[in-house]
Amino acid sequence: MKKTIFISMLLMMFVGVGFAQKAKLDTIQIKTSGQCEMCKERIERVMVYEKGVKNADYNLETATVTVIYNAQKTTPEKLRKAITVVGHDADDQLADPKAYAKLPTCCKKPQDR
């Protein structure tokens, strides 16, 4: 009987821990300098590899990426930084110059083509 009660208590404790650690998801929209389908793929791919990102969707018409992420694992600043590292502007942060120089011509800003 004691063994059954002990096992029940342990089980309840583990179930409670699982519910207590449920991730808090936030959504952010980041304005980028992406121009084409290759930009869309590049930006969405870099977001998926960022820790805590659950989903990323780039809208070419608005040049905005919508990111759903776990706020306990990443921050908006880290998400913007990841975009700049692959050569695109992210809100007020400018693209890394070396990464931008390596982009195909169609991915560069119209004034730089």
Side-chain angles (χ1 to χ4, degrees), residues 26-100:
D26 282 342
T27 302
I28 186 172
Q29 290 189 330
I30 301 171
K31 186 78 171 168
T32 71
S33 58
Q35 304 289 316
C36 65
E37 283 293 325
M38 288 194 309
C39 298
K40 174 181 170 62
E41 290 174 22
R42 183 180 306 106
I43 292 168
E44 288 177 350
R45 184 175 53 243
V46 76
M47 287 292 97
V48 170
Y49 285 112
E50 278 299 302
K51 184 176 182 180
V53 171
K54 301 299 178 193
N55 187 37
D57 183 47
Y58 186 75
N59 183 322
L60 279 169
E61 291 179 16
T62 62
T64 303
V65 61
T66 302
V67 183
I68 300 171
Y69 66 99
N70 180 338
Q72 295 174 341
K73 294 186 177 184
T74 193
T75 64
E77 293 77 26
K78 289 180 183 176
L79 299 174
R80 288 183 190 100
K81 179 68 175 171
I83 294 170
T84 64
V85 169
V86 295
H88 296 283
D89 295 347
D91 288 337
D92 59 345
Q93 294 183 15
L94 296 178
D96 176 85
K98 290 181 182 178
Y100 182 76

